[in-house]
């Protein structure tokens, strides 16, 4: 079955630690996205990529980094510079930027 | 820039009653419009979308939405609410550059028995 997978489902970060969230899709989509979701704040765009080896900052990119070395994969690193990383992180992909985005099941990041 | 306003962060209806979730958008280009549903601790799932053509769009689970250009609205309706409809709903519009979607803040729907 085609779809988007995110792992892990829960992730714990220690103070000063970088952590990486995985996002993989087998839909052959060109565009991929990372969102952060906090209670009552809807979805906020962190980074997006429209093609391999290219990505753009979203609305809240500070403290995060991404790479897009393969079409299928768009990992997100939450760096130690992100002082408030506790949130629900959603990855999505679409054929093009204007079309339907398909979402993964999400990763919940918690700080120890 | 494109934007989406969802009126009412929380909506409560009785089981069997009409569901109406409001969405207004602003767009400098002909928009693509979307409604998504999110259940707790899950990703978003597409309910329906409007691209071109017929302005009344039918989606999954008995939901539908009507694109009204003159009112810049895309309200979501369902004739009869079911307990399983309790979730958060997001309206979205394609960006003016066609490179991403712009989401509204979401509306949490509560269904009372």
């Amino acid at each position: 079955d085609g779809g988007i997978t995110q792992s892990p489902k829960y992730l714990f970060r220690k103070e000063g630690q970088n952590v990486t969230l995985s996002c993989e899709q087998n839909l052959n989509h060109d565009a991929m996205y990372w969102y952060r979701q906090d209670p009552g704040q809807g979805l906020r765009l962190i980074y997006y990529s429209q093609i391999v080896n290219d990505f753009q900052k979203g609305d809240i990119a500070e403290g995060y980094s991404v790479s897009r070395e393969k079409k299928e994969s768009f990992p997100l690193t939450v760096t130690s510079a992100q002082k408030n990383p506790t949130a629900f992180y959603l990855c999505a992909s679409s054929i093009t930027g204007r079309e339907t985005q398909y979402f993964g099941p999400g990763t919940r990041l918690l700080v120890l | 820039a494109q934007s989406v306003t969802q009126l009412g962060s929380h909506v409560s209806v009785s089981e069997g009653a009409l569901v109406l979730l409001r969405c207004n958008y602003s767009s400098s280009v002909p928009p693509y419009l979307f409604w998504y549903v999110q259940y707790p601790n899950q990703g978003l799932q597409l309910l329906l979308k409007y691209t071109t053509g017929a302005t009344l769009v039918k989606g999954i689970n008995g939901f539908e939405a009507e694109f009204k250009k003159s009112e810049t609205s895309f309200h979501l309706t369902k004739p009869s609410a079911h307990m399983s409809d309790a979730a958060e709903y997001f309206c979205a519009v394609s960006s003016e550059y066609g490179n991403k979607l712009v989401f509204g803040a979401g509306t949490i729907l509560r269904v009372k028995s």
Side-chain angles (χ1 to χ4, degrees):
Chain A
D1 286 339
I4 301 179
T5 57
Q6 290 186 244
S7 62
K9 188 170 179 65
Y10 295 94
L11 186 57
F12 297 90
R13 193 190 91 164
K14 295 180 181 178
E15 202 71 36
Q17 186 181 43
N18 292 353
V19 292
T20 297
L21 285 63
S22 170
C23 177
E24 303 277 334
Q25 54 99 359
N26 61 3
L27 299 168
N28 199 33
H29 287 170
D30 283 316
M32 296 187 75
Y33 310 83
W34 273 107
Y35 295 92
R36 171 177 171 145
Q37 192 172 29
D38 297 278
Q41 295 197 40
L43 297 170
R44 293 187 288 171
L45 183 63
I46 306 173
Y47 270 97
Y48 62 104
S49 168
Q50 293 184 276
I51 198 167
V52 174
N53 292 322
D54 188 40
F55 50 83
Q56 290 78 40
K57 292 182 179 180
D59 302 317
I60 56 164
E62 187 174 350
Y64 300 96
S65 65
V66 293
S67 62
R68 186 84 189 277
E69 297 176 0
K70 299 187 299 182
K71 189 174 186 177
E72 302 80 17
S73 179
F74 191 41
L76 173 74
T77 296
V78 183
T79 74
S80 57
Q82 174 49 248
K83 297 307 180 187
N84 184 25
T86 298
F88 190 52
Y89 291 86
L90 287 164
C91 179
S93 71
S94 61
I95 296 173
T96 69
R98 202 174 189 207
E99 293 293 341
T100 303
Q101 290 186 13
Y102 295 87
F103 285 79
T107 292
R108 187 164 298 280
L109 177 60
L110 301 165
V111 177
L112 293 177
Chain B
Q2 322 300 76
S3 68
V4 175
T5 301
Q6 292 185 237
L7 294 175
S9 59
H10 291 78
V11 170
S12 183
V13 302
S14 297
E15 192 173 20
L18 171 72
V19 175
L20 171 61
L21 303 182
R22 300 178 187 274
C23 173
N24 288 91
Y25 68 91
S26 68
S27 177
S28 56
V29 298
Y32 284 17
L33 293 158
F34 306 82
W35 273 103
Y36 285 85
V37 61
Q38 184 183 31
Y39 299 99
N41 297 311
Q42 295 185 25
L44 277 67
Q45 177 184 2
L46 180 71
L47 276 177
L48 49 80
K49 69 177 181 182
Y50 168 80
T51 55
T52 59
T55 57
L56 183 61
V57 180
K58 295 187 183 297
I60 62 172
N61 301 339
F63 285 94
E64 63 182 36
E66 186 171 11
F67 170 60
K68 292 188 176 180
K69 184 178 179 180
S70 61
E71 298 177 8
T72 60
S73 69
F74 191 57
H75 301 331
L76 182 71
T77 60
K78 182 175 180 177
S80 177
H82 191 271
M83 296 298 288
S84 61
D85 295 326
E88 188 162 17
Y89 293 79
F90 292 93
C91 181
V93 65
S94 53
S95 74
E96 58 195 314
Y97 302 110
N99 56 358
K100 56 184 176 179
L101 301 184
V102 176
F103 285 85
T107 297
I108 295 173
L109 176 66
R110 178 187 170 214
V111 181
K112 299 177 291 184
S113 59

